[in-house]
Amino acid sequence: MSEPKLISPLLDGFAMGAAISEHNGVRCYPAMRENSDQKYIVKIISIPASQSQVEALLLTGAYREPTAVLEYFRELADNVEKEAACLKNLSRLEGFLAFEGWQVVPMENGKMGYEVYLLSSFRQALEKYVRRNNMTHLGALNLGIDMCNALSAARRAGWIYVDLKPSENKEYRIGDLGLMELEGLDLAALPAKYRSTYTAPELQDEMLSPNTTQDTYALGLILYQIFNNGQLPL
């Protein structure tokens, strides 16, 4: 796994441990602020995930110059920042948690692209919590109510959350990227990073557009799994 790197000013006064996960250009590290017992997670998104994507864009003629490719990657990084800012706005409503902060930095060592750093307080994943603890009937009901409130709040603000997976516990809040604007949803494509076991079957086809039922479908699967001893219907 990649070695962690502290950037300024976002991670001033922090110490990071070894990566706890790394997949498709996304790495997560545990972190702590100096002279504090509070735990954090640093998520680093590499854009692009691999330098082979740079060569592919140039060889296929999608972009003629490396500077144009770099501008494209910067636009993707800006979109991540926009989504993080949207999550911060939604955190003022019920059911969402914002990142503590974020920062975009250029890649180093001759690599072309950007890395987006996202800092959040440590939260235990629902999947791990359920595995180690017995989820009560009341707990499952509270989960459903909290998530319905959060998804409804997102829709009222003009967004749909498309990456709902077991990832929170206790207060059951959404605290990660996965937002898409409702306006123009039928003209959009669901990014591969948002397709999972909890994605509706028809949306596993990358050529099909997202729909306004995929968030409730994912929540239904999560509740099904909880009420059926961790088993999914498929």
Side-chain angles (χ1 to χ4, degrees), residues 50-133:
S50 169
Q51 289 298 294
S52 62
Q53 292 178 252
V54 178
E55 299 174 9
L57 289 172
L58 291 171
L59 289 174
T60 58
Y63 294 92
R64 294 182 178 275
E65 301 292 338
T67 53
V69 175
L70 191 60
E71 289 176 5
Y72 168 67
F73 291 148
R74 180 69 217 203
E75 182 180 347
L76 295 181
D78 289 344
N79 287 340
V80 175
E81 284 195 290
K82 178 182 176 182
E83 192 176 345
C86 175
L87 186 63
K88 183 177 181 179
N89 290 333
L90 286 174
S91 69
R92 301 187 181 100
L93 306 174
E94 187 176 3
F96 286 87
L97 290 171
F99 289 105
E100 300 279 337
W102 57 86
Q103 185 176 341
V104 177
V105 296
M107 288 184 176
E108 298 180 344
N109 301 320
K111 295 182 178 180
M112 181 178 293
Y114 297 90
E115 290 189 315
V116 185
Y117 283 67
L118 298 150
L119 176 68
S120 64
S121 57
F122 175 80
R123 299 184 288 272
Q124 186 182 32
L126 175 63
E127 184 179 15
K128 291 182 179 179
Y129 177 81
V130 172
R131 193 184 309 132
R132 297 172 183 174
N133 302 272

Side-chain angles (χ1 to χ4, degrees), residues 136-206:
T136 65
H137 182 77
L138 179 60
L141 288 177
N142 287 335
L143 166 64
I145 292 170
D146 289 350
M147 288 296 94
C148 283
N149 286 336
L151 297 176
S152 295
R155 289 188 182 220
R156 289 195 298 272
W159 298 84
I160 183 171
Y161 195 80
V162 298
D163 193 30
L164 195 63
K165 299 190 291 288
S167 58
E168 301 298 334
N169 69 291
K170 296 183 180 178
E171 290 183 282
Y172 305 116
R173 296 187 182 184
I174 296 172
D176 204 354
L177 303 177
L179 292 162
M180 294 184 71
E181 290 186 275
L182 279 170
E183 184 177 350
L185 194 66
D186 56 340
L187 301 177
L190 184 67
K193 63 182 179 180
Y194 291 153
R195 289 197 292 272
S196 71
T197 305
Y198 302 89
T199 302
E202 68 272 15
L203 295 178
Q204 297 294 347
D205 186 343
E206 61 184 21

Side-chain angles (χ1 to χ4, degrees), residues 166 197-198 218 220-226 228-234:
T197 305
Y198 302 89
L221 274 191
I222 292 172
L223 292 174
Y224 181 101
Q225 188 175 25
I226 288 173
N228 288 275
N229 298 316
Q231 299 300 312
L232 286 167
L234 303 177

